[in-house]
Amino acid sequence: MPTSLTRAILFNTRQRHFIFKPINCPFINRRFYASEERKQNLIEKIVQKYAQDLSPGQKVKSGDFVTIQPEHVMTHDNTAASIGAQKIKFPKQCVFTLDHDVQNKSEKNLAKYASIEEFSKLQNVDFYPAGRGIGHQVLIEEGYAFPYTMTVASDSHSNMYGGIGCLGTPIVRTDAAAIWATSKTWWQTPPVANVEFKGQLQNGVTGKDIIITLCGMFNNDEVLNCAIEFTGDESIHGIGLEDRLAIANMTTEWGALAGVFPVDEITIQWLRNRVDKLELSKFENKNLKLTSSDRPFEHPRINHSRIDYIEKNPIRPSPGAYYAKHLTLDLSTVSPYISGPNSVKVSTSLAELEKKNIAIHKAYLVSCVNSRVGDLKAAAHVIKGKKVADGVEFYIAAASSEVQKDAEASGDWQTLVNAGARTLPAGCGPCIGLGTGLLKDGEVGISATNRNFKGRMGSPNALAYLASPAVVAASAVAGKIANPAYLSTSSPPTPKITYTLNPPDEYIEDSTISNDSIVPGFPDTIKGQLLFCPADNLNTDGIYPGKYTYVDDFPVEKMAKVVMENYDPKFASIVSKGDILVGGFNFGTGSSREQAATAIKACGISLLIAGTYSQTFKRNSINNALICLESPELVELLKSSYKLEEKTIRTHLNVEIKFAEGKVLIKGLNGADNEFRVGVLGRSVQEIWVAGGLENWIKQRL
């Protein structure tokens, strides 16, 4: 591998003292000098710890591409790419968890699971089998996600680790393979938004209500591709750790790359309680007695000495640290809220929605966001002594086997079962459209999960709402979206929010742009016809339906036929090889499934242009040799020039992209020739394209 994966992948520059800060496009070759007075925020300080090959005195800041060597990398059922490496470089950096398709007992899936387990033994990698729980929950319980560390996972909900003060962020499976082989990958430090909480929560209002409110009130991409630092010490002190995990988890749905809470007394106490529980469990298993002064068991990651260290050596943002945005939410104005139907960007107060008497067919208390001990307890409190309504199916699954064991010990699990809940194994399932209990045509579901995209939990002709565990349980009993009896039925307050976009961070720009560097084998120009999909927030379920994601032998030819199936069933019959696809804003939001990018490539699309992208989708695309350019001006002009009744519009416009000049040329749009500026591609982005993807690029360097 090269000494700096970042420089090799993105710029291949010899000038080590330069910091690259992209504007609009992450691959524009502009040069910036680091400010000596730069004061880092919390995200930048954590990234600084894990950044490799920095120049002496260089401070990481938003916009920089850095080589990272994360503390841990988690991969699950379908996120391990083969890159031909003979061994994993640092086995204890890696964690394998089988959690997604755990209900699938087919011979083929069991054989796959067995091969993953065998590989983990061969490589000495920590392995958690199907049934142990959802990987994100396991990483919290076992301390892989730990305060002030950076842990990544090839799954979009790795943001959840931020609830415990860990910088958790998604990568894609090819990146995971790169980390296996080299311990490193590339990462762009995102802009950082400060989300400040004020006031105190009302009784019965949960972390799920907070994040649903934020997703619904700030629903114009205010935090798209940002990392979020949650602040507001007194207000945050009133939010328990499980609620923090739920909020951090769904910052993914909000469009963010990470969402990190401060490490405070709540965090420290939870960790100390966790150590005590682990020690007690160890002794109970051996029928020994543990005294307060006897601590012979030392967990490799969660132990008192490590907790003492972070308590005495906290990492805090520097006074005067720069934040790109500042948002505030007065928690006292938050009431129980519900997302949907079929969108996390639409939220309505429970009080208002209850009046509409929306009948439901299915209810779900499953997934990594809201199936912990407190969630099951809240649902059991609501449902105790009652029965699930006739005609309603209520599904429950614990976030982990340990959570289920604790809920069984408290009686909460049996309370839910006695009421008529149907149990599923600890793991994923209906949340991602796998296994038992999926929504059918015409059905309505209410779920404590984190996503309700059209078609994600079953039929695209079903409606899905998201709510807190207590509201889900109350609805299961009532047979309609309903308010638990203990919540206030008075008119809810209007959430009090503010949003400030701060002036750009200070920097010195060197106006020199390298525009004459085309890698051998990379075209100077790409030409094609413009195909326009105008929808904003086109998600990965719309691009590549979840029901195909875990079909391992799904051929490329079939991928090309099902691409955009949930968005526009006619797309596959409209697209032609060599088309240049233009999308809307926040293109590719949603899950981290790599197939959303590879399916677009499979149908012959040569290049993508959008107003903005989900960062994870863009990463998948670049790693699979599908070029992504950003041109918000082009997208806005196309939207104003065409009637948008059709989901896919063949414009019959000829497009020419001149890479060295960073130009998109379109002839005949509104009767004129148009030119749009885009970022100049770095050399190694071209190299990845020439190699046919990051896997091959890495193999060439092993």
Side-chain angles (χ1 to χ4, degrees):
M1 292 297 293
T3 56
S4 170
L5 188 60
T6 298
R7 282 189 291 277
I9 285 184
L10 297 166
F11 299 105
N12 215 13
T13 181
R14 298 177 182 176
Q15 303 178 50
R16 294 177 56 85
H17 61 282
F18 286 141
I19 289 180
F20 292 87
K21 183 169 183 178
I23 293 181
N24 295 329
C25 176
F27 304 109
I28 190 164
N29 282 344
R30 298 184 189 272
R31 300 174 184 173
F32 296 87
Y33 295 95
S35 168
E36 294 181 0
E37 301 300 320
R38 184 65 166 79
K39 296 179 179 179
Q40 293 174 308
N41 50 49
L42 176 61
I43 301 296
E44 291 165 337
K45 286 189 174 183
I46 295 176
V47 175
Q48 184 88 33
K49 284 178 57 181
Y50 291 92
Q52 305 290 301
D53 305 313
L54 298 178
S55 301
Q58 179 181 335
K59 286 188 176 181
V60 171
K61 63 178 178 177
S62 295
D64 294 349
F65 285 94
V66 292
T67 304
I68 57 165
Q69 187 178 65
E71 188 87 6
H72 294 288
V73 54
M74 184 269 281
T75 54
H76 54 71
D77 310 29
N78 196 36
T79 53
S82 172
I83 58 171
Q86 297 301 308
K87 64 178 182 178
I88 290 176
K89 184 167 186 177
F90 295 138
K92 291 309 174 186
Q93 185 184 31
C94 305
V95 188
F96 294 173
T97 62
L98 301 182
D99 62 0
H100 271 53
D101 204 13
V102 296
Q103 295 181 47
N104 183 355
K105 303 300 181 182
S106 67
E107 183 177 340
K108 183 176 182 179
N109 194 56
L110 293 178
K112 179 175 77 171
Y113 279 8
S115 68
I116 294 172
E117 182 173 9
E118 182 62 28
F119 180 71
S120 71
K121 291 177 181 177
L122 182 66
Q123 297 290 332
N124 196 28
V125 169
D126 289 356
F127 171 80
Y128 296 89
R132 173 61 181 88
I134 301 173
H136 303 306
Q137 179 68 19
V138 171
L139 261 63
I140 295 292
E141 291 177 356
E142 298 293 341
Y144 299 100
F146 199 80
Y148 305 137
T149 65
M150 185 178 189
T151 286
V152 301
S154 47
D155 186 274
S156 58
H157 285 110
S158 46
N159 288 22
M160 190 178 97
Y161 315 147
I164 202 165
C166 167
L167 177 53
T169 191
I171 56 169
V172 298
R173 68 178 186 166
T174 314
D175 291 307
I179 296 173
W180 290 9
T182 70
S183 81
K184 303 173 184 179
T185 191
W186 64 270
W187 200 62
Q188 183 186 13
T189 310
V192 182
N194 174 210
V195 175
E196 182 182 4
F197 292 139
K198 298 183 177 181
Q200 296 296 322
L201 284 176
Q202 302 178 64
N203 290 334
V205 181
T206 69
K208 187 64 163 282
D209 298 310
I210 293 173
I211 190 60
I212 286 177
T213 299
L214 288 169
C215 288
M217 298 297 106
F218 294 104
N219 59 4
N220 290 305
D221 294 340
E222 288 90 347
V223 297
L224 179 64
N225 294 330
C226 289
I228 295 169
E229 286 183 27
F230 291 103
T231 62
D233 292 342
E234 291 186 7
S235 299
I236 283 179
H237 195 75
I239 303 174
L241 195 108
E242 287 193 357
D243 277 330
R244 296 181 188 190
L245 293 172
I247 293 168
N249 181 295
M250 280 190 63
T251 58
T252 301
E253 278 61 46
W254 200 12
L257 280 177
V260 180
F261 277 81
V263 178
D264 58 9
E265 298 90 339
I266 301 294
T267 319
I268 298 297
Q269 190 56 54
W270 186 90
L271 288 167
R272 295 206 185 280
N273 291 343
R274 180 73 185 148
V275 173
D276 292 341
K277 182 180 180 182
L278 288 167
E279 289 177 338
L280 182 60
S281 174
K282 190 77 172 180
F283 265 65
E284 285 177 344
N285 290 339
K286 292 186 176 182
N287 296 316
L288 299 173
K289 184 177 180 181
L290 177 67
T291 66
S292 59
S293 60
D294 184 16
R295 298 189 181 280
F297 170 66
E298 179 109 333
H299 190 281
R301 290 167 298 279
I302 307 180
N303 52 68
H304 285 294
S305 59
R306 196 177 184 198
I307 298 168
D308 288 342
Y309 180 83
I310 63 166
E311 189 173 23
K312 293 175 182 176
N313 299 276
I315 299 177
R316 301 278 187 263
S318 297
Y322 176 75
Y323 294 92
K325 305 171 183 184
H326 184 206
L327 295 74
T328 69
L329 174 66
D330 185 343
L331 297 182
S332 68
T333 65
V334 176
S335 64
Y337 261 68
I338 294 179
S339 282
N342 294 359
S343 174
V344 294
K345 290 181 176 288
V346 175
S347 64
T348 309
S349 72
L350 171 60
E352 181 180 342
L353 211 57
E354 188 181 26
K355 296 174 184 176
K356 298 184 179 182
N357 289 316
I358 300 172
I360 66 165
H361 302 88
K362 290 184 171 74
Y364 305 90
L365 181 49
V366 299
S367 89
C368 56
V369 66
N370 270 134
S371 290
R372 283 175 277 276
V373 171
D375 302 317
L376 295 166
K377 183 174 291 297
H381 175 75
V382 170
I383 212 169
K384 189 171 185 178
K386 302 180 179 70
K387 291 290 184 181
V388 173
D390 291 340
V392 173
E393 299 171 16
F394 181 27
Y395 295 92
I396 61 171
S400 72
S401 57
E402 183 177 323
V403 167
Q404 182 169 335
K405 181 180 177 182
D406 289 346
E408 289 171 345
S410 69
D412 294 328
W413 189 261
Q414 194 59 44
T415 294
L416 294 166
V417 172
N418 290 344
R422 307 182 185 193
T423 63
L424 298 173
C428 305
C431 175
I432 54 171
L434 294 174
T436 301
L438 305 187
L439 289 170
K440 299 176 182 177
D441 284 355
E443 288 189 332
V444 177
I446 188 166
S447 178
T449 54
N450 39 33
R451 285 199 179 132
N452 57 349
F453 299 150
K454 179 181 177 182
R456 177 177 173 85
M457 298 184 69
S459 169
N461 298 316
L463 298 178
Y465 294 85
L466 303 181
S468 69
V471 172
V472 168
S475 302
V477 170
K480 62 180 182 179
I481 295 179
N483 190 336
Y486 65 83
L487 289 177
S488 171
T489 57
S490 61
S491 297
T494 301
K496 187 176 180 181
I497 62 176
T498 66
Y499 172 65
T500 304
L501 180 63
N502 293 325
D505 196 9
E506 292 184 0
Y507 54 79
I508 301 173
E509 179 179 353
D510 179 339
S511 60
T512 301
I513 300 176
S514 176
N515 63 358
D516 58 354
S517 175
I518 297 295
V519 169
F522 189 85
D524 294 316
T525 302
I526 285 182
K527 297 179 180 180
Q529 275 209 351
L530 192 155
L531 194 66
F532 186 32
C533 289
D536 296 335
N537 306 307
L538 178 50
N539 62 67
T540 49
D541 283 273
I543 299 169
Y544 191 80
K547 62 185 177 183
Y548 305 122
T549 304
Y550 289 89
V551 182
D552 291 336
D553 55 354
F554 206 70
V556 172
E557 295 77 13
K558 286 188 177 181
M559 291 179 73
K561 292 180 180 179
V562 303
V563 64
M564 299 287 186
E565 186 176 86
N566 280 346
Y567 167 68
D568 182 2
K570 296 185 293 183
F571 181 88
S573 64
I574 298 173
V575 66
S576 295
K577 184 177 181 180
D579 282 345
I580 292 171
L581 178 63
V582 178
F585 291 85
N586 195 17
F587 188 95
T589 186
S591 80
S592 57
R593 67 190 60 166
E594 191 174 26
Q595 295 94 329
T598 55
I600 289 176
K601 187 179 177 183
C603 70
I605 296 293
S606 59
L607 182 142
L608 274 173
I609 304 174
T612 54
Y613 293 92
S614 158
Q615 188 74 12
T616 303
F617 173 84
K618 183 164 59 178
R619 191 174 191 99
N620 270 322
S621 298
I622 291 166
N623 284 352
N624 281 282
L626 179 63
I627 296 171
C628 292
L629 301 177
E630 292 185 7
S631 179
E633 297 82 7
L634 170 58
V635 172
E636 293 287 9
L637 182 57
L638 288 171
K639 286 191 173 191
S640 66
S641 302
Y642 287 89
K643 294 181 180 180
L644 305 182
E645 291 92 348
E646 295 295 326
K647 294 183 176 180
T648 305
I649 302 168
R650 176 159 289 287
T651 66
H652 301 288
L653 295 171
N654 293 317
V655 186
E656 182 177 2
I657 293 92
K658 295 187 174 182
F659 289 104
E661 300 173 43
K663 292 180 180 179
V664 174
L665 306 176
I666 300 178
K667 294 184 178 181
L669 178 55
N670 294 335
D673 292 345
N674 296 268
E675 178 180 306
F676 302 89
R677 294 290 300 176
V678 292
V680 178
L681 294 179
R683 285 186 57 86
S684 288
V685 176
Q686 300 174 45
E687 288 174 358
I688 291 170
W689 187 91
V690 171
L694 183 61
E695 282 190 39
N696 293 331
W697 189 91
I698 294 170
K699 287 177 182 177
Q700 293 170 4
R701 288 155 176 79
L702 283 176

